[in-house]
């Protein structure tokens, strides 16, 4: 909870600034034509999106840093922030370096296993990796405190300024870069391959269910990103098919747009469902959480799933199943209704590009209500 309470302002402030960027582009007429640049089609909107994006980029490091702080006090901050930044950014790409000499032996081992590759899948572990990094960082520092407890009193001054941050940051870098980030990368690649196989089999309704649920598991993490990248790839496929002479009503083209619609509606459900739960089941949430319901509503309408992260981080065992269920139903209904989407982002600001918009809204509302009602039944009341 210490990590969540410190992270919440970054999510709210950055998320609403990003939503303002989408609103500006919509008001200036780029809602249906902005494509992948939607939200940064003008200097003013790009300014809001850049600032908001930087603020939201800090949320996982802040989460990790203050989880570590709550475990190991001030010495845990540096180690926790570093672990969270590695979780949010992933491993550096080996292709970005020119090694001096041949990278063989031990150097080759590091080059092969501590770095990501452009063709090797993502290594971003997102907020779930950030939670893990925060706990790891805290307990690493506690172990270092015990290991160096018997140093002479004259060296006490260098422990928090040299020994703990140096060894702690080294250990968390090894764990994240060699173990957890590559593991997440392998999972991400497998998920992408699975989605492609389902699409190729023509199981578009099942694909809608799966894509919607994936958007609500880690809210911007690798599972969410695997679904989203798959959707943008489907938009690219649709463009290629139409460039080759296919019509927008062609089944293959429609399947691409149906997949993207399921992805966006699935990503819009978690913040809206949580906002509804905060209003109708207030005893389930803290005062700070209840006060964020309006900002979550704004972010959900803007397809900023990250608004749900503080709630999922505070109580993942109860919140994530509820968001998955609601988002999965929304994605399923969207695909079942044949709703299509030709834009990769934007939420309500690109509803002009949605096929069957009223049914799309119905799918979104249904999924959000399911999430809210499930939270009301599953999540425990808070004391007091």
């Amino acid at each position: 909870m210490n990590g969540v309470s410190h992270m919440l302002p970054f999510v709210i402030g950055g998320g609403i600034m990003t939503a303002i960027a989408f609103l500006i582009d919509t008001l200036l007429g780029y809602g249906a034509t902005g494509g992948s640049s939607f939200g940064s089609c003008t200097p003013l909107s790009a300014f809001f999106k850049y600032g908001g994006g930087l603020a939201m980029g800090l949320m996982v490091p802040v989460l990790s840093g203050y989880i570590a702080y709550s475990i190991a006090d001030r010495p845990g901050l540096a180690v926790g922030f570093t672990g969270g930044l590695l979780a949010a950014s992933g491993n550096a790409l080996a292709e970005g370096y020119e090694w001096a000499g041949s990278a063989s032996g031990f150097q080759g081992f590091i080059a092969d296993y501590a770095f990501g590759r452009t063709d090797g899948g993502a290594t971003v572990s997102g907020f779930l990796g950030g939670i893990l990094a925060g706990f790891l960082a805290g307990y690493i520092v506690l172990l270092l405190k015990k290991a160096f407890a018997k140093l002479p009193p004259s060296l006490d001054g260098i422990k928090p300024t040299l020994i703990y941050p140096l060894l702690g940051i080294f250990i968390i870098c090894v764990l994240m870069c060699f173990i957890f980030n590559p593991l997440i990368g392998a999972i991400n690649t497998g998920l992408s391959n699975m989605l492609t196989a389902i699409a190729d089999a023509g199981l578009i309704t099942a694909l809608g269910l799966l894509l919607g649920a994936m958007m609500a598991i880690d809210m911007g993490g690798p599972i969410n990103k695997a679904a989203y990248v798959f959707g943008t790839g489907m938009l690219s496929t649709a463009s290629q098919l139409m460039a080759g002479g296919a019509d927008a009503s062609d089944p293959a083209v429609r399947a691409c747009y149906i997949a993207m619609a399921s992805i966006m509606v699935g990503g819009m459900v978690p913040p809206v469902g949580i906002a509804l739960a905060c209003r109708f089941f207030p005893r389930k949430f803290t005062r700070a959480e209840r006060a964020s319901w309006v900002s979550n509503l704004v972010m959900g309408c803007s397809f900023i799933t990250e608004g749900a992260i503080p709630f999922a981080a505070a109580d993942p065992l109860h919140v994530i199943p509820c968001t998955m269920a609601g988002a999965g139903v929304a994605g399923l209904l969207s695909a079942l209704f044949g709703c299509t989407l030709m834009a990769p982002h934007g939420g309500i600001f690109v509803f002009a590009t949605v096929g069957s918009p009223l049914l799309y809204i119905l799918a979104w509302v249904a999924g959000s209500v399911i999430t809210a009602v499930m939270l009301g039944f599953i999540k425990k009341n808070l004391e007091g």
Side-chain angles (χ1 to χ4, degrees):
M1 288 304 299
N2 190 45
V4 170
S5 63
H6 283 88
M7 175 182 69
L8 195 59
F10 293 90
V11 178
I12 294 173
I16 292 180
M17 280 192 66
T18 304
I20 291 172
F22 294 136
L23 177 60
I24 291 169
D25 274 2
T26 299
L27 294 175
L28 294 177
Y30 295 102
T33 61
S36 60
S37 298
F38 182 63
S40 56
C41 293
T42 66
L44 181 60
S45 61
F47 168 77
F48 274 94
K49 190 175 182 183
Y50 177 69
L54 287 179
M56 291 184 69
L58 285 170
M59 62 185 178
V60 173
V62 168
L63 172 68
S64 301
Y66 280 96
I67 289 174
Y69 176 78
S70 68
I71 296 170
D73 207 12
R74 193 178 298 273
L77 274 174
V79 185
F81 272 112
T82 303
L85 194 59
L86 287 168
S89 303
N91 292 6
L93 293 177
E95 281 79 357
Y97 295 87
E98 293 184 7
W99 309 120
S102 60
S104 58
F106 181 64
Q107 297 279 15
F109 170 78
I110 296 175
D112 289 338
Y113 292 99
F115 289 83
R117 299 185 179 279
T118 54
D119 59 349
T123 56
V124 174
S125 51
F127 98 88
L128 294 177
I131 294 174
L132 174 64
F135 280 101
L136 286 174
Y139 288 112
I140 286 169
V141 173
L142 286 183
L143 289 173
L144 290 174
K145 286 182 177 181
K146 290 183 178 180
F148 292 94
K150 295 184 178 180
L151 282 180
S154 60
L155 297 178
D156 283 349
I158 70 168
K159 289 180 184 178
T161 58
L162 175 62
I163 295 175
Y164 300 153
L166 174 60
L167 294 180
I169 289 173
F170 168 72
I171 293 170
I172 198 69
C173 284
V174 169
L175 291 175
M176 296 303 293
C177 291
F178 280 89
I179 300 175
F180 296 109
N181 280 349
L183 179 62
I184 294 295
I187 294 172
N188 187 49
T189 302
L191 287 171
S192 297
N193 293 337
M194 177 186 67
L195 291 174
T196 302
I198 294 174
D200 291 343
L203 302 174
I204 194 64
T205 306
L207 185 63
L209 170 67
L210 184 60
L211 289 170
M214 286 176 66
M215 293 298 293
I217 295 174
D218 55 357
M219 288 53 140
I223 300 174
N224 172 289
K225 285 294 185 287
Y228 183 72
V229 170
F230 173 79
T232 56
M234 293 292 274
L235 290 183
S236 177
T237 299
S239 297
Q240 293 172 3
L241 290 171
M242 294 181 72
D247 189 77
S249 60
D250 184 275
V253 175
R254 282 184 54 81
C256 296
Y257 293 143
I258 288 172
M260 190 66 234
S262 295
I263 289 166
M264 192 170 81
V265 78
M268 294 171 72
V269 162
V272 175
I274 288 171
L276 294 175
C278 286
R279 293 297 294 167
F280 293 107
F281 306 102
R283 295 182 62 191
K284 310 289 181 177
F285 303 95
T286 66
R287 180 176 297 178
E289 289 173 335
R290 293 196 301 270
S292 69
W293 79 273
V294 174
S295 59
N296 262 284
L297 193 62
V298 172
M299 284 188 274
C301 291
S302 306
F303 184 35
I304 302 173
T305 318
E306 287 85 350
I309 286 180
F311 297 84
D315 189 7
L317 293 180
H318 293 107
V319 173
I320 292 178
C322 299
T323 57
M324 280 182 62
V329 169
L332 171 67
L333 290 175
S334 175
L336 190 63
F337 295 152
C339 299
T340 58
L341 175 65
M342 302 171 68
H345 209 296
I348 62 172
F349 303 119
V350 293
F351 272 18
T353 70
V354 172
S356 303
L358 293 180
L359 291 174
Y360 195 61
I361 293 171
L362 176 61
W364 177 30
V365 170
S368 300
V369 170
I370 287 171
T371 291
V373 172
M374 286 185 65
L375 284 169
F377 282 102
I378 294 176
K379 193 170 168 61
K380 297 178 180 178
N381 289 339
L382 298 181
E383 295 182 3

